[in-house]
C-alpha cells in the first residue's frame, strides 16, 4: 500500500522568515540620521518619565511595583524612578513600563493598529541602566542617554510601522503584542546580541502569540490595560535574556504552515510593511499634552473645554449633545451604562466629554470613584448621541493627515444650539508641535512637581532643555537623579 505524502511532515529547517531578518537588520543599524527624530525622542523620554512619576500618586499603581519578594536585593540592577527599588532588568522593565503607561498619558500612535510607543522605555531604560552599572563595575564606559534615544527611535519605528496596516484589534488582539516585538528587538541588540540572536529572540516573541483586548472593552474594562505594556516589556527583556544564554530560535515562527503565527493568530493573513524602517514614527508621534485621555478623545475633550464657558450655567437646559467622531473612537471608547473603575472611565468618550463640559478641564483625578459620583456626569452622558463622520475616518487613515477629529454641538430645550465646534488635530500632533512643545515642558514640570522638590524639578527641567548635556549623560546618572 502506497504511503500518502500528507501523512509525513517535511522537517527541513527553513531559512528565517524575511520579516524577522528585516527587523533585525534595521535594529543593527548603528545610528539614525534625523535631527528631528532625536529632538522628538528627547521630548518623548522627558514626557514618559513625567507620566511615570505622576503615576506614583496612585496606590493602585504603586502596589504593583518593587521586588516580588519584599526586601530582595539585586547587587547590579536597574533603578525604578521615584523609588528606592533596584531590580533585575526583567522585573525593572515591568515596573518602569507599568508606571509610564498607568495613567494613559504618554505618547500615542494611531493607524490600523493603535498603541503607545514610549511603552518600550520599560525595556530600554531597564536594560541600559543595568548595562551601565555592570560596565562601570567592570571599569568600562557606561551607555549614554544618546544610546537610549537611538533605541527609542528604533522601537518606535518597529512598533509604529507594523501598526500602519496591521490591525490586530480587528481580530480581537491587543496592541501590546507590538510593544513586545519592538522591545525584544532593541533589548537583544542592547544586550550585545548578534543578528542571529536578534532573529531568534524575535521568533520567540512572535511564538507567544497575541493577547486578547478583553480588558480594554466593555463590559470588562479594567486595570490590566494599565500594566499590560509593562508586562510586554518585561517579557521582551526575558526573551532577549534567554536568547543571550544560547536559547534556540524558530525560523518560521510566522510562516510555518498550520502552526505558525500567520495561520493561527492572523487566520491566514500576513504582516504588511507599509514603508521601510527609518525614523518616520518618532518624527510624527503624538503627545498627550492637555488631557490624560484615550487619544481618540483628545480633540473631543478640547471641544468640550471650548464649549464650557458657553454652557456652564445652562447644564439643566440641555436637550441633546451630538458628538461627531472617527470610526475608531466609535469602536473603542463609545459606551453606555455604569462605569466601574478609573480604567473604565478613561476609555469612555461620553464620560470624558461630560467632565470637560462641566469643569472646563480633564485631569487624572477626575477618573477616581469619588469624583465620578457627581450625578451630572451620567445625566450628560445620557443626552449624548455619538455618530461617525466618514470624512473624519478618511482623514484619520490618510498618511498625509493622520488627523484625530472630533466635533460637538449642543442643543437646548428652547430650540437654540451652540455652534458646531470642530478640532481636527490635538495639541500633541506634529501639525501643532510648535504650540505643543512649551506645554509639554509645562506638563513635565507639573508631573515631576508631584514627587520632587522645586529645586530638583528645576534641575531636571534644565537638563532636558540642554540636549547636548543630556545625550552625553551616562544612563545610570540620570536614573540616580530620578531615584527617590
Amino acid at each position: 500500500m502506497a504511503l500518502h505524502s500528507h501523512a509525513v511532515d517535511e522537517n527541513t529547517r527553513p531559512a528565517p522568515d524575511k520579516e524577522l531578518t528585516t527587523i533585525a537588520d534595521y535594529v543593527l543599524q548603528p545610528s539614525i540620521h534625523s535631527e528631528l527624530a532625536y529632538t522628538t525622542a528627547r521630548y518623548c523620554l522627558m514626557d514618559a518619565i513625567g507620566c511615570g512619576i505622576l503615576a506614583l500618586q496612585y496606590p493602585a499603581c504603586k502596589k504593583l511595583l518593587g521586588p516580588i519578594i519584599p526586601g530582595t536585593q539585586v547587587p547590579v540592577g536597574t533603578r525604578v524612578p521615584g523609588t528606592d527599588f533596584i531590580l533585575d532588568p526583567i522585573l525593572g522593565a515591568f515596573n518602569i513600563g507599568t508606571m509610564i503607561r498607568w495613567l494613559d498619558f504618554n505618547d500615542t500612535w494611531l493607524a490600523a493598529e493603535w498603541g503607545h510607543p514610549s511603552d518600550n522605555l520599560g525595556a530600554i531604560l531597564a536594560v541600559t541602566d543595568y548595562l551601565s552599572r555592570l560596565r562601570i563595575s567592570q571599569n568600562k564606559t557606561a551607555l549614554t542617554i544618546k544610546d537610549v534615544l537611538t533605541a527609542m527611535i528604533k522601537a518606535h519605528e518597529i512598533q509604529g510601522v507594523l501598526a500602519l496596516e496591521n490591525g490586530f484589534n480587528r481580530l480581537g488582539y491587543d496592541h501590546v503584542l507590538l510593544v513586545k516585538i519592538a522591545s525584544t528587538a532593541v533589548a537583544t541588540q542592547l544586550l550585545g546580541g548578534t543578528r542571529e540572536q536578534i532573529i531568534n529572540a524575535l521568533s520567540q516573541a512572535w511564538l507567544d502569540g497575541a493577547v486578547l483586548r478583553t480588558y480594554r472593552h466593555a463590559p470588562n474594562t479594567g486595570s490590566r490595560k494599565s500594566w499590560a505594556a509593562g508586562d510586554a516589556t518585561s517579557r521582551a527583556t526575558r526573551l532577549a535574556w534567554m536568547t543571550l544564554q544560547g536559547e534556540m530560535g524558530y525560523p518560521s515562527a510566522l510562516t510555518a504552515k498550520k502552526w505558525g503565527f500567520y495561520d493561527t493568530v492572523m487566520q491566514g493573513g500576513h504582516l504588511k510593511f507599509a514603508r521601510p524602517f527609518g525614523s518616520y514614527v518618532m518624527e510624527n508621534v503624538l503627545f498627550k499634552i492637555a488631557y490624560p485621555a484615550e487619544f481618540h478623545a483628545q480633540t473631543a475633550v478640547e471641544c468640550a473645554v471650548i464649549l464650557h464657558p458657553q454652557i456652564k450655567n445652562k447644564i439643566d437646559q440641555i436637550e441633546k449633545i451630538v458628538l461627531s467622531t472617527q470610526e475608531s473612537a466609535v469602536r473603542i471608547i463609545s459606551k453606555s451604562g455604569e462605569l466601574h473603575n478609573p480604567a473604565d472611565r478613561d476609555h469612555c468618550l461620553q464620560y470624558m466629554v461630560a467632565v470637560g463640559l462641566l469643569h472646563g478641564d480633564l485631569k487624572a483625578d477626575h477618573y477616581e470613584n469619588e469624583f465620578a459620583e457627581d450625578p451630572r456626569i451620567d445625566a450628560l452622558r445620557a443626552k449624548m448621541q455619538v455618530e461617525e463622520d466618514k470624512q473624519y475616518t478618511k482623514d484619520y487613515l490618510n498618511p498625509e493627515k493622520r488627523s484625530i477629529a472630533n466635533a460637538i454641538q449642543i442643543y437646548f430645550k428652547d430650540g437654540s444650539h451652540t455652534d458646531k465646534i470642530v478640532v481636527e488635530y490635538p495639541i500633541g500632533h506634529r501639525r501643532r508641535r510648535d504650540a505643543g512643545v512649551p506645554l509639554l515642558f509645562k506638563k513635565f514640570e507639573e508631573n515631576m512637581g508631584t514627587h520632587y522638590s522645586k529645586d530638583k524639578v528645576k534641575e531636571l527641567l534644565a537638563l532636558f532643555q540642554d540636549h547636548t548635556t543630556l545625550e552625553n549623560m551616562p544612563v545610570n546618572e540620570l536614573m540616580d537623579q530620578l531615584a527617590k
Side-chain angles (χ1 to χ4, degrees):
M1 186 164 110
L3 182 66
H4 295 291
S5 61
H6 68 260
V8 178
D9 286 330
E10 173 56 53
N11 200 35
T12 302
R13 203 162 182 84
D17 291 330
K18 183 171 177 23
E19 298 88 337
L20 304 180
T21 62
T22 297
I23 296 172
D25 288 339
Y26 168 68
V27 170
L28 286 169
Q29 291 181 19
S31 60
I32 301 294
H33 303 289
S34 169
E35 183 178 341
L36 175 60
Y38 277 102
T39 298
T40 309
R42 175 165 51 95
Y43 298 151
C44 182
L45 174 62
M46 174 187 75
D47 182 55
I49 289 171
C51 292
I53 294 301
L54 180 62
L56 294 176
Q57 301 300 306
Y58 295 85
C61 177
K62 287 187 69 174
K63 72 182 182 183
L64 299 178
L65 307 181
I68 294 173
I69 306 300
T72 302
Q73 297 291 319
V74 178
V76 180
T78 184
R79 280 195 177 277
V80 179
T83 77
D84 56 4
F85 300 135
I86 300 179
L87 307 173
D88 73 80
I90 295 169
L91 187 54
F94 176 83
N95 278 240
I96 297 169
T98 295
M99 288 171 59
I100 289 171
R101 183 87 280 271
W102 190 264
L103 294 174
D104 202 356
F105 210 5
N106 59 322
D107 70 359
T108 299
W109 185 250
L110 302 177
E113 187 54 73
W114 315 298
H116 311 275
S118 62
D119 292 347
N120 294 290
L121 273 166
I124 294 168
L125 284 177
V127 170
T128 55
D129 188 28
Y130 159 74
L131 287 175
S132 295
R133 297 178 193 281
L134 179 64
R135 290 186 179 192
I136 289 170
S137 72
Q138 298 170 339
N139 295 316
K140 297 178 182 178
T141 304
L143 296 176
T144 67
I145 297 301
K146 179 70 176 288
D147 297 313
V148 170
L149 300 181
T150 301
M152 287 175 64
I153 294 168
K154 292 177 179 179
H156 270 61
E157 191 74 357
I158 295 167
Q159 180 177 347
V161 168
L162 287 176
L164 287 175
E165 294 185 6
N166 300 292
F168 294 103
N169 57 83
R170 291 189 176 276
L171 297 172
Y173 301 122
D174 195 24
H175 55 70
V176 295
L177 162 65
L178 297 183
V179 175
K180 180 167 58 179
I181 299 304
S183 284
T184 298
V186 297
T188 310
Q189 184 270 325
L190 287 167
L191 287 167
T194 63
R195 181 177 186 268
E196 181 181 2
Q197 287 173 321
I198 295 170
I199 292 169
N200 288 346
L202 283 167
S203 74
Q204 294 277 9
W206 287 110
L207 284 183
D208 276 357
V211 178
L212 299 181
R213 287 184 61 88
T214 310
Y215 50 81
R216 294 195 189 275
H217 297 278
N220 292 291
T221 312
S223 56
R224 178 166 175 161
K225 74 180 183 61
S226 298
W227 56 259
D231 192 45
T233 64
S234 181
R235 177 65 175 169
T237 306
R238 175 176 288 280
L239 293 176
W241 192 273
M242 292 175 67
T243 301
L244 268 291
Q245 309 313 307
E247 184 61 22
M248 66 183 290
Y250 300 83
S252 60
L254 291 167
T255 61
K257 296 299 182 185
K258 187 177 179 180
W259 308 114
F261 187 89
Y262 287 168
D263 278 1
T264 54
V265 173
M266 296 188 71
Q267 301 175 11
H270 64 279
L271 290 174
K272 301 174 184 176
F273 289 74
R275 58 185 298 126
F277 291 130
S279 53
Y280 171 79
V281 176
M282 182 62 81
E283 292 168 356
N284 290 278
V285 77
L286 303 166
F287 289 105
K288 290 186 180 181
I289 297 176
Y291 314 108
E294 204 282 338
F295 214 97
H296 295 90
Q298 290 280 320
T299 53
V301 176
E302 188 170 345
C303 290
V305 170
I306 292 170
L307 284 166
H308 168 72
Q310 301 177 45
I311 60 92
K312 62 181 179 180
N313 297 321
K314 302 171 63 177
I315 297 295
D316 59 345
Q317 301 172 39
I318 294 174
E319 178 73 29
K320 68 176 179 178
I321 303 167
V322 178
L323 308 181
S324 303
T325 190
Q326 348 84 36
E327 183 273 340
S328 293
V330 173
R331 186 150 49 92
I332 313 169
I333 56 174
S334 177
K335 63 175 76 167
S336 61
E338 182 181 357
L339 302 174
H340 302 281
N341 52 63
D344 213 1
R345 297 176 194 116
D346 75 16
H347 270 52
C348 175
L349 174 64
Q350 294 88 338
Y351 182 93
M352 292 181 276
V353 167
V355 173
L357 289 172
L358 288 168
H359 296 275
D361 201 359
L362 179 65
K363 297 183 179 296
D365 286 347
H366 293 160
Y367 300 119
E368 296 300 306
N369 293 342
E370 184 177 354
F371 183 90
E373 291 175 357
D374 183 347
R376 297 177 301 166
I377 297 175
D378 283 346
L380 284 183
R381 288 176 61 208
K383 296 179 179 181
M384 294 182 190
Q385 299 177 9
V386 176
E387 58 186 27
E388 178 192 356
D389 186 304
K390 300 291 187 182
Q391 188 61 47
Y392 293 174
T393 300
K394 183 178 179 181
D395 292 344
Y396 172 90
L397 296 171
N398 183 344
E400 300 304 316
K401 288 190 173 184
R402 295 288 180 202
S403 69
I404 311 101
N406 277 283
I408 300 177
Q409 189 165 25
I410 298 177
Y411 296 82
F412 298 99
K413 295 175 181 177
D414 64 4
S416 63
H417 56 78
T418 66
D419 291 338
K420 184 176 183 178
I421 304 299
V422 181
V423 179
E424 290 188 81
Y425 299 95
I427 192 69
H429 195 282
R430 184 176 176 179
R431 293 200 180 198
R432 295 176 69 182
R433 190 76 88 225
D434 290 345
V437 168
L439 297 176
L440 195 65
F441 277 97
K442 181 181 178 183
K443 173 189 172 185
F444 175 71
E445 185 176 10
E446 291 175 350
N447 287 347
M448 300 299 275
T450 64
H451 188 81
Y452 300 105
S453 69
K454 289 183 178 179
D455 288 343
K456 184 71 171 180
V457 173
K458 184 177 179 181
E459 178 185 343
L460 290 167
L461 195 60
L463 174 62
F464 277 97
Q465 290 171 331
D466 182 350
H467 71 274
T468 301
T469 300
L470 179 69
E471 288 187 0
N472 291 320
M473 174 179 282
V475 178
N476 59 291
E477 288 188 14
L478 175 61
M479 298 296 276
D480 284 342
Q481 285 196 32
L482 294 170
K484 185 173 182 180

